[in-house]
Amino acid sequence: MNVLSDPTKRRWLAWAALATVFLLVNLHRLSTAVISEELTVDFETSAAQLGTLHASFFLIYAAIQIPTGVLADRLGPRYVGSIGGIVLSLGAVGFALSGSYLAAFASRALIGLGSGVIFVSILRFCANWYRPDEFATMTGLTGSIAGLGAILATTPLAVTVGQFGWRATILSLGGVGIVAAGAVFVLARQSPAAAGLEPIEGVPEQPDITLAELGDHLRTLARDLDQWLLSIVFFAGNGAMLTLVGMWGVPYIVVVYELDVTTASYFTLLASVGVLLGPTTIGWFSDRIERRLLPMTVGIGLFAVALAAVPVFGQPPLAVVAVSYLACGFLFGAAMLSLSVVKERYPPSASGIATATVNTAGFVGGTVLPAAMGVALDAYQTGETVEGTVAYTEFGYRIAFGILAATVAVGFCCACWLMVRERARSQ
């Protein structure tokens, strides 16, 4: 049988095409940590401006999540995913060619606009092509692609930028993105039936949904306390992870330990390895034990503990920092379970809008937390530079990382509240 006519094989090809675009999404959104020195020099930015430039991606990304859920439910991953891939790639070209801070800000926002539709499109695809007892595993596997992108955005990106320059590197990524978007258009479809294939056993039918029904689901989501608690969990987990790997994890090590950027990127590489392994492992474990809230709550609690190493000790041994970064990446998988929880509480036809709602909060976190840390750090400038990175005091970094740890601790409290509510409903 031709691989394209076998639905169980075709779904993996289509998922791989979507995942390739998602890999590029993560390369772009986390790249500012490694190229922060070049951006500071080229655009003459302060810490707050650099944090805002980084956050411009997440600002637009967060803003379009709910519209993306509507589009994914109505149009399907083929069109939404391929158009998103083209838009983010054009944004990358613009970013590479930017001659001013304003142009770079606008181009990075365009990258965020295209990138913002990809993850929800993949989740919508997985809901249509995989069984419910495979969904957390597939969500985790998709999250692991984020980890792979994060790995490439650390030491490999630092070496490539050092060899070819940041502009040529980003421009090349734009070209790869256009090719990957074409693959999505060719391979992805709304469902096996839409591809002219036999249904896959155990995969629920995905009925068409009207705009009126989508409006009803949105109103229900807005009144749903569980959705708000899950959104806070993902705000904390996703926001903290993106801030650590994508923005301030490298500058902290460069300044406090006086290491070069490439060496410092090894530590965020460890965090990215954690993201590569954690979501798939935790998602698979959750599917096997058929429980979501318990592993989510325990994982988020441990995530807060791992983040607390910097605010508590300021300059702990580098081995402790390495373990902390690795653990944070692995335990991010617990935060991703919030997407599986909300998906399972709404009808299959609304899976896109339900996951998009919680996903919105995660990227609001990715917008707010880097800028908040930048504002906190600006209050503790030393007036010096280390390896081209603006230097802040150790106490400034303790305050900034304290913001992250406290945010994840609030997420842990919300996860505990969800468990209490779940227990009360079952009695």
Side-chain angles (χ1 to χ4, degrees):
M1 180 181 289
N2 187 299
V3 66
L4 294 180
S5 60
D6 182 343
T8 57
K9 294 178 180 177
R10 171 69 173 270
R11 66 182 181 177
W12 285 107
L13 287 176
W15 178 85
L18 286 160
T20 300
V21 179
F22 190 53
L23 177 71
L24 293 169
V25 169
N26 287 277
L27 259 169
H28 286 300
R29 73 185 178 189
L30 299 175
S31 62
T32 46
V34 165
I35 63 175
S36 60
E37 177 185 344
E38 288 84 356
L39 296 177
T40 299
V41 172
D42 281 10
F43 303 122
E44 299 178 347
T45 62
S46 67
Q49 286 176 318
L50 185 59
T52 303
L53 178 64
H54 173 76
S56 63
F57 174 103
F58 301 100
L59 183 64
I60 189 69
Y61 193 113
I64 67 168
Q65 287 307 292
I66 291 177
T68 294
V70 173
L71 289 172
D73 285 335
R74 293 280 292 171
L75 302 179
R78 180 191 191 190
Y79 296 104
V80 179
S82 60
I83 292 171
I86 292 293
V87 172
L88 78 89
S89 299
L90 292 176
V93 172
F95 188 55
L97 300 178
S98 294
S100 68
Y101 177 82
L102 183 61
F105 182 93
S107 296
R108 187 154 169 86
L110 187 62
I111 297 173
L113 178 65
S115 298
V117 306
I118 304 303
F119 184 60
V120 172
S121 294
I122 297 177
L123 295 186
R124 176 78 254 192
F125 176 82
C126 291
N128 292 8
W129 286 77
Y130 292 86
R131 300 190 310 270
D133 63 351
E134 297 174 315
F135 187 80
T137 301
M138 291 307 300
T139 301
L141 188 59
T142 303
S144 293
I145 294 298
L148 179 57
I151 289 172
L152 295 177
T154 54
T155 306
L157 182 63
V159 171
T160 304
V161 168
Q163 182 71 30
F164 300 104
W166 76 269
R167 293 182 185 273
T169 301
I170 299 299
L171 190 62
S172 298
L173 292 177
V176 174
I178 291 172
V179 174
V184 171
F185 186 81
V186 170
L187 295 169
R189 295 294 186 275
Q190 173 80 325
S191 65
L197 304 176
E198 293 295 319
I200 299 172
E201 184 178 357
V203 176
E205 287 292 324
Q206 304 293 328
D208 292 333
I209 186 167
T210 66
L211 288 176
E213 289 171 326
L214 278 170
D216 289 340
H217 289 312
L218 277 171
R219 286 187 286 273
T220 301
L221 282 159
R223 298 190 298 264
D224 184 356
L225 177 58
D226 284 0
Q227 177 274 127
W228 287 105
L229 294 172
L230 289 165
S231 291
I232 294 171
V233 169
F234 202 54
F235 172 97
N238 196 57
M241 197 66 245
L242 292 173
T243 303
L244 180 69
V245 175
M247 189 70 251
W248 294 116
V250 167
Y252 160 70
I253 293 172
V254 168
V255 171
V256 174
Y257 295 92
E258 299 184 351
L259 298 177
D260 62 86
V261 171
T262 300
T263 303
S265 72
Y266 296 154
F267 290 82
T268 49
L269 176 63
L270 283 173
S272 301
V273 169
V275 176
L276 179 65
L277 300 174
T280 299
T281 302
I282 294 173
W284 175 86
F285 178 72
S286 175
D287 278 338
R288 296 289 77 76
I289 66 172
E290 298 183 344
R291 297 189 70 178
R292 305 288 191 228
L293 294 182
L294 179 61
M296 183 180 78
T297 303
V298 172
I300 289 293
L302 293 173
F303 194 167
V305 171
L307 274 173
V310 173
V312 170
F313 299 107
Q315 190 177 354
L318 278 169
V320 173
V321 176
V323 171
S324 172
Y325 280 27
L326 177 64
C328 287
F330 188 90
L331 294 166
F332 167 65
M336 290 202 69
L337 287 178
S338 59
L339 298 166
S340 296
V341 174
V342 76
K343 179 258 184 187
E344 291 169 354
R345 297 192 179 194
Y346 285 83
S349 60
S351 67
I353 194 67
T355 53
T357 301
V358 172
N359 201 40
T360 299
F363 289 92
V364 170
T367 303
V368 171
L369 293 177
M373 286 184 71
V375 171
L377 285 167
D378 274 340
Y380 295 94
Q381 286 195 41
T382 65
E384 301 174 352
T385 60
V386 178
E387 287 287 323
T389 298
V390 177
Y392 309 96
T393 66
E394 177 189 307
F395 185 73
Y397 275 108
R398 293 179 76 171
I399 294 294
F401 274 78
I403 292 171
L404 287 191
T407 301
V408 176
V410 170
F412 170 69
C413 292
C414 290
C416 291
W417 192 355
L418 281 161
M419 290 193 67
V420 170
R421 286 172 57 79
E422 186 76 10
R423 185 170 299 175
R425 280 194 290 260
S426 65
Q427 289 177 348

